[in-house]
Amino acid sequence: MRQHGIGAWVAKRRLRSPDKVALVHDEQSTMTYGQFADAADRVSAVLRERGVGRGDAVAHLGANSPDFLAVLFGAAQLGAVFVPVNTRLAPPEIAHVLADCDARVLIHDPDLGAPVASAAPVAGTRHVIVTGEGTAERPGLAPLSRTAPAFTGPVDTSHQDPAAIVYTSGTTGRAKGAVLTHGNLTWVALNCVVDYDVVSTDVALMISPLFHVASLGMGALPVLLKGATMVLEKGFEPGRALAQIERHGVTMLSGVPTTYQLMADHPNWARTDLSTLAKLTCGGSAVPTRILDAYEARGLSFAQGYGMTEAGPGATALPPSMTRVKQGSVGLPHFFTDVRITDASGAPAPRGEVGEIEVAGPNVFAGYHGLPEATAGAFTADGWFRSGDLGHLDADGYLYISGRLKDMIISGGENIYPPELERLIEAIDGVTSAAVIGVPDERWGEVPWAVVTVREGASVDTDSVRAFLDGRVARYKLPKNVVIVDDLPRTASGKVRKTDLRARFGG
């Protein structure tokens, strides 16, 4: 057996630290590494009984839980491909993900039965399993795991084999599946172990959803690789997060600026014992000075970074020691990753000159699932991934982000791509054209606004646009405001000048 993929991790942890607590969940419930490896084996057995083998897609729709991770590793042991599905997606978006990856099995939480019932038949998903006990008519994952034939062991897997497909919204409006190999996920975890100094005695509080690649690749995987302990939260509530830090002696915490701000604003902030916290990482957008001040007053500093789904997702990291010295920077390339800046001709740009950010390394994805042309267009001739973002490197090699070629909006850590919304808004009766931009927001970093032109006499406003979109896209994508204008500013070639719109409306 040559199991070189992440599927080998659980068995190796069972040998090395079987009695060490791996997961804390549902208040005080714990699962050791030995128990977790057994759970992954049982999931492998359930999947194998349903014909899952090498290359088959296994989707999971649910909150942070031991089941989420058991499905990930249970699939990996079979050489299958894990597909985490964002629980905030609307049924048509879920159906697209399931159909695009041709999911053989979907495992979902009980409270998500309604969107699954709508999406799975459309996608043609062959097996749908609910977590927990289920019903007598439709047994859940727990009883199926108890009655499945014994797992006979993992299949051979290499670092080149696909391990996961993580869907990221595309500029065309349809989500694209980024294929991450076993090697990609291994090197992402190793980058975090090196640059964030993850150790086996760490206790990591997981307040961000694992279906996001940052939480999965840079949160859960390094912790499990090192044999540390993870406290799983089904959702984020600032007061509860503070209580969990004190209760479990949390040493590691990852989040986006919004989550950190909400914690600092909570009435329990000043009286919560944060003395065990040693490692804070923040992504999604730069940490505002007011948040830095609040945490530094408690003796805490942030590591910050930059990345994208296609890099699994880490590309750079700014250590806490450089937070103030290099304020505004997203740091140096991760230890096993390279970053360069190129000019409009594709040639390397001099230090200090703004150009496109390109990334290379063993953590960079294999390509977009089923989209060879998009994959080819995402890479340069010499194999660097073209991020579509603009930035520059200073004299010391630290990266600074200047803008986004793709006009992506990051709202509360969620990526929103305007073309998806624009296509739908322009289908509303009375709307003649639409442009979606990101507008700064104190709480969420950015929120989407729609700027539209309408037919004379048409009745279009914020409420009607949001009502039309609700159920078609995730709720975090709904525009917070709709502005009606006479004309959209355009270039000579007819493209909307979004820079003009952002300048006009506060972007």
Side-chain angles (χ1 to χ4, degrees), residues 249-478:
V250 169
T251 64
M252 293 178 58
L253 182 64
S254 298
V256 296
T258 302
T259 58
Y260 285 115
Q261 181 65 62
L262 291 172
M263 289 171 63
D265 290 342
H266 195 274
N268 292 341
W269 168 255
R271 54 178 174 264
T272 300
D273 181 1
L274 304 178
S275 60
T276 58
L277 268 184
K279 302 160 190 175
L280 301 176
T281 58
C282 188
S285 57
V287 181
T289 300
R290 67 181 184 281
I291 300 179
L292 292 177
D293 292 342
Y295 280 77
E296 287 177 356
R298 299 294 306 271
L300 302 169
S301 297
F302 289 93
Q304 300 177 63
Y306 160 77
M308 64 289 298
T309 301
E310 292 87 347
T316 69
L318 180 71
S321 61
M322 302 302 288
T323 296
R324 292 293 188 176
V325 178
K326 296 289 186 179
Q327 190 166 356
S329 169
V330 292
L332 297 169
H334 275 297
F335 196 85
F336 298 107
T337 305
D338 294 306
V339 171
R340 73 182 183 186
I341 305 297
T342 59
D343 61 22
S345 69
R351 291 288 174 92
E353 183 175 306
V354 173
E356 184 172 8
I357 302 165
E358 297 179 351
V359 184
N363 57 305
V364 176
F365 80 140
Y368 296 111
H369 176 67
L371 298 171
E373 292 184 4
T375 298
F379 289 91
T380 63
D382 55 349
W384 289 70
F385 173 68
R386 301 182 60 194
S387 73
D389 293 335
L390 297 170
H392 73 274
L393 297 172
D394 71 9
D396 299 317
Y398 285 78
L399 178 65
Y400 292 76
I401 307 298
S402 302
R404 293 189 288 274
L405 289 176
K406 301 173 184 175
D407 289 319
M408 183 179 73
I409 300 166
I410 302 178
S411 184
E414 299 279 6
N415 293 349
I416 301 171
Y417 287 82
E420 177 188 23
L421 298 178
E422 290 161 356
R423 174 176 57 85
L424 290 171
I425 293 170
E426 288 176 349
I428 297 173
D429 183 41
V431 174
T432 54
S433 61
V436 175
I437 60 172
V439 173
D441 181 82
E442 183 74 11
R443 180 173 185 179
W444 302 112
E446 288 181 298
V447 293
W449 279 30
V451 184
V452 304
T453 60
V454 300
R455 188 179 63 246
E456 186 176 354
S459 178
V460 176
D461 58 19
T462 301
D463 290 341
S464 63
V465 171
R466 286 172 59 88
F468 178 85
L469 295 175
D470 197 7
R472 290 179 168 87
V473 298
R475 292 188 63 83
Y476 65 81
K477 299 178 184 179
L478 300 181

Side-chain angles (χ1 to χ4, degrees), residues 47 50 52 57-59 103-107 125-129:
L47 295 175
R50 280 148 187 80
V52 173
V58 176
R104 186 176 187 87
V105 176
L106 168 64
I107 297 175
T125 304
R126 299 186 264 309
H127 302 281
V128 177
I129 302 172

Side-chain angles (χ1 to χ4, degrees), residues 228-245:
T229 298
M230 185 164 23
V231 180
L232 290 171
E233 289 288 280
K234 291 185 179 297
F236 170 67
E237 194 283 313
R240 178 174 168 83
L242 290 170
Q244 294 289 67
I245 292 169

